[in-house]
Every structure is written in structure tokens, then in C-alpha cells.
């Protein structure tokens, strides 16, 4: 038996890298595993059949799982937005943050394409994220500005790059790791949106150590299936008010004597983040009402 990690799925095969030698094998799965899904990032036990073909015998327990796109065992996520073409969507950023935090995947934020326009128009939002403890990178895959900081952050970890199509995820990885040659394409000149260039999920080794997963851009993701109290805990600025509201089970939306609503009114909790919270909370409440 050999320990390996799935790096790519293609044509019904699982391309798997041996952890010791780094050799990549095209593997099929053992029949008994037919019902179990295998993700990129999964650690698996391989066996070489007498005919020289490799078979996945067992999928080892996952430390983390990201569902959209399906990737197992990532440690950190870079949520990429661009300052322009397309413009940043902070609701989507908050949703990606939520998915990361609830999945135990350490997030960071990256605003790319700063050569197109300075990040200044988003100064308040970026400060808000920094103030609650998120790492924020400002990069240009085109000029290389900020790329070195981002590269340092990737070293030694298994990271996933997420974000809408066209923000420059693949371009940024090409800048981080020259020679990677991931496919990129211009955004649609009319809509300023990406063209969904990256179609596959692939785990790529970095020269300095660590792995990174480029992903297809997407925007239609659902609010994770969590409770209202977990949602509040995913917002550091809301979690900081825990236990201070009049009601123990305060949802921080309409209740009286709510310290969160008070902090929003006073401006200590950013209104844009809070409005996304209210939106997510209402989706979660609706889901809970229709569950039984
Ligand atoms: N000016 C400028 N253009 C950039 C930058 N980064 C990426 N681009 C351009 O933006 C377009 C989209 O880049 P991609 O890297 O394909 O974007 P992506 O996020 O991987 O998109 P999908 O694979 O569709 O999800 C390309 O034309 C890139 O050259 C940047 O920092 N500055
Ligand atoms: Mg791409
Ligand atoms: Zn409250």
C-alpha cells in the first residue's frame, strides 16, 4: 500500500501523487468504493495491481471539506476579488468568508488588479476587514505588486483560491509561480465579467513548499446550513457582543436592547457587513421554518 493524494480528476480517473516519491499515477477506484465520492485533495491508499495499474483502495478521513468546488483537506482559502472588471461584491466576499470559517478553513482576502484603479474607493471596507482580524492582500498579477506577500502566505500550506470568474485567480497563481501556465482569458468587454475559463480543480505543488488549488469562478453559492448562533460567531465583530443583548437567544435583527444593532447605529460595526448578516440570517431562518 502507498499513501497518495488526489491532485486531479479527469475522464473517470483519479490522478494521484505518491506522498513519498511525488510520482503521479492515473488511478481507478476499487469497486467497493463506488458509492463514496473522491475529491481533489483526498488522501488515499493506493495499490499497484500486477498489471502495473494503480487502484485506490481507501479514502482516509478528511480534515476539511469544501463543497463548491469539492476539495478536501485544504487549510486556508484566499478569497479573490478585483477592484475593477469585475468590481468587488462584498456580499459574496462575506459569504465565502462564512463558508471558509464554518468549514475550519483559514481565510484571507485578496483584492487584485490594483493597477487598474487604486484600492482607495474600497478603503473603508478593507479597513473594516482588517479591524476584525482578516489578512487583506492588495495585488496586481499584471505588475507584480503585492504578489511577493501573497506568495509568502501560500508557502507551506494547502490553499484554495476562490472568487468570481475573471478576478484573476489563475493570473495571480501564474504570477506567484512562473512556469505554471494556467489558462486565463480577458473578461467580456461588455459585461466586464469573466468567461469561466478555469474548468477543473487541480492541486498544484509550489516550488517553495505547499500546494494550491485554482478553482473555476462561481457566484451562485448558498448560505451554509448553520444555525443563527453559529452565523453570529462567524462575524468577529458580532461575536464580540455575545451575551450583552437583553435576550440570550438574540438574533440581532429586530429584538429590543440589542447591543449589535446599537453598535451598527453607532458605526462601530460596519453597516455593510451587518446588512449581509441580516440577509444570511433571514435565509437561515427561512430554511429552519421549512425544515420539518
Ligand atoms: N489589469 C489587470 N488584469 C488582470 C490582473 N489579473 C488578471 N487580469 C486579467 O483578467 C482576466 C481574467 O483573468 P483570469 O486569471 O483568467 O481570471 P480567473 O479568476 O482565473 O477567471 P475564471 O478562471 O474564469 O474563474 C485576464 O484577461 C487577465 O489578464 C491584474 O492584476 N491586472
Ligand atoms: Mg481561472
Ligand atoms: Zn442582539
Amino acid at each position: 500500500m502507498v499513501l497518495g493524494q488526489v491532485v486531479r480528476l479527469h475522464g473517470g480517473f483519479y490522478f494521484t501523487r505518491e506522498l513519498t516519491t511525488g510520482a503521479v499515477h492515473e488511478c481507478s477506484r476499487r469497486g467497493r468504493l463506488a458509492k463514496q465520492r473522491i475529491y481533489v485533495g483526498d488522501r488515499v491508499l493506493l495499490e499497484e495491481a500486477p498489471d502495473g495499474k494503480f487502484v485506490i483502495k481507501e479514502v482516509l478521513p478528511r480534515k476539511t471539506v469544501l463543497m463548491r468546488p469539492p476539495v478536501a483537506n485544504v487549510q486556508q482559502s484566499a478569497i479573490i476579488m478585483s477592484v475593477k472588471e469585475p468590481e468587488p461584491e462584498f456580499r459574496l466576499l462575506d459569504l465565502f468568508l462564512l463558508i471558509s470559517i464554518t468549514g475550519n478553513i483559514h481565510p484571507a482576502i485578496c483584492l487584485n488588479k490594483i493597477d487598474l484603479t487604486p484600492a482607495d474607493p474600497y478603503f473603508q471596507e478593507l479597513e473594516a476587514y482588517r479591524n476584525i482580524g482578516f489578512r487583506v492582500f492588495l495585488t496586481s498579477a499584471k505588475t507584480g505588486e503585492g504578489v511577493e506577500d501573497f506568495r509568502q502566505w501560500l508557502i507551506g500550506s494547502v490553499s484554495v483560491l476562490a472568487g468570481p470568474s475573471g478576478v484573476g485567480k489563475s493570473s495571480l497563481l501564474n504570477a506567484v509561480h512562473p512556469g505554471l501556465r494556467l489558462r486565463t482569458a480577458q473578461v467580456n468587454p461588455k459585461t466586464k465579467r469573466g468567461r469561466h475559463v478555469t474548468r477543473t480543480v487541480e492541486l498544484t505543488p509550489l516550488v517553495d513548499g505547499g500546494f494550491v488549488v485554482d478553482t473555476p469562478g462561481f457566484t451562485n453559492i448558498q448560505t451554509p446550513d448553520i444555525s443563527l448562533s453559529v452565523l453570529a460567531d462567524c462575524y468577529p465583530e458580532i461575536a464580540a457582543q455575545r451575551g450583552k443583548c437583553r435576550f440570550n437567544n438574540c438574533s440581532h435583527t429586530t429584538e429590543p436592547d440589542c447591543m449589535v444593532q446599537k453598535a451598527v447605529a453607532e458605526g462601530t460595526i460596519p453597516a455593510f457587513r451587518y446588512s449581509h448578516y441580516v440577509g444570511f440570517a433571514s435565509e437561515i431562518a427561512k430554511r429552519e421554518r421549512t425544515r420539518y
Side-chain angles (χ1 to χ4, degrees):
M1 290 282 215
V2 184
L3 187 59
Q5 187 165 34
V6 178
V7 294
R8 189 161 65 97
L9 311 183
H10 188 76
F13 288 102
Y14 305 86
F15 290 80
T16 304
R17 177 184 292 103
E18 264 190 56
L19 287 189
T20 45
T21 64
V24 176
H25 306 293
E26 180 188 284
C27 305
S28 55
R29 57 159 76 191
R30 177 191 195 172
R32 205 166 62 82
L33 291 175
K35 287 209 181 74
Q36 190 177 354
R37 290 197 62 184
I38 297 179
Y39 297 149
V40 166
D42 264 329
R43 287 178 171 245
V44 295
L45 291 177
L46 301 177
E47 202 169 62
E48 191 174 356
D51 60 3
K53 291 193 173 141
F54 282 83
V55 182
I56 295 177
K57 290 291 197 186
E58 195 177 332
V59 180
L60 301 180
R62 295 173 181 135
K63 294 199 183 100
T64 64
V65 190
L66 192 66
M67 291 312 295
R68 286 284 318 267
V71 199
N73 301 318
V74 277
Q75 298 167 299
Q76 50 180 30
S77 63
I79 303 161
I80 320 278
M81 293 281 161
S82 48
V83 283
K84 220 177 148 183
E85 304 182 6
E87 268 155 38
E89 293 175 61
F90 290 104
R91 181 191 168 275
L92 194 63
L93 172 54
D94 283 344
L95 187 49
F96 277 118
L97 285 173
L98 202 57
I99 290 167
S100 252
I101 296 167
T102 54
N104 253 328
I105 298 167
H106 182 64
I109 298 163
C110 176
L111 203 58
N112 187 39
K113 306 199 189 184
I114 56 167
D115 56 288
L116 289 182
T117 182
D120 297 349
Y122 304 107
F123 179 79
Q124 282 197 328
E125 286 89 347
L126 298 180
E127 274 304 287
Y129 288 108
R130 289 193 175 112
N131 287 340
I132 49 180
F134 292 113
R135 184 84 192 260
V136 179
F137 295 98
L138 299 176
T139 59
S140 167
K142 194 170 177 186
T143 66
E145 196 179 340
V147 169
E148 182 54 28
D149 275 353
F150 184 62
R151 200 175 66 84
Q152 292 292 332
W153 182 78
L154 294 171
I155 293 176
S157 254
V158 183
S159 317
V160 65
L161 262 59
S165 179
V167 296
K169 299 179 294 297
S170 303
S171 305
L172 203 52
L173 285 184
N174 285 338
V176 159
H177 194 314
L180 211 52
R181 306 237 182 106
L182 297 170
R183 214 162 74 79
T184 67
Q186 280 195 327
V187 297
N188 180 320
K190 279 212 187 102
T191 63
K192 307 288 184 203
R193 295 191 167 271
R195 301 173 187 266
H196 297 279
V197 183
T198 304
R199 300 263 172 200
T200 58
V201 176
E202 182 161 355
L203 189 73
T204 308
L206 294 170
V207 273
D208 306 301
F211 293 88
V212 70
V213 186
D214 188 16
T215 70
F218 53 88
T219 45
N220 55 335
I221 28 173
Q222 288 204 324
T223 310
D225 194 3
I226 53 177
S227 67
L228 283 175
S229 74
V230 170
L231 173 69
D233 284 343
C234 291
Y235 272 70
E237 66 274 52
I238 293 178
Q241 305 297 323
R242 175 203 282 277
K244 295 184 191 161
C245 302
R246 187 204 297 183
F247 300 109
N248 253 335
N249 61 349
C250 189
S251 74
H252 319 301
T253 52
T254 53
E255 296 87 342
D257 293 328
C258 166
M259 289 306 117
V260 171
Q261 291 172 71
K262 183 161 172 277
V264 175
E266 288 170 353
T268 47
I269 289 182
F272 80 100
R273 287 261 302 162
Y274 178 70
S275 78
H276 303 152
Y277 167 86
V278 172
F280 301 142
S282 107
E283 279 166 44
I284 289 168
K286 190 158 74 189
R287 189 185 290 150
E288 281 180 0
R289 279 197 302 277
T290 54
R291 195 180 310 266
Y292 302 106

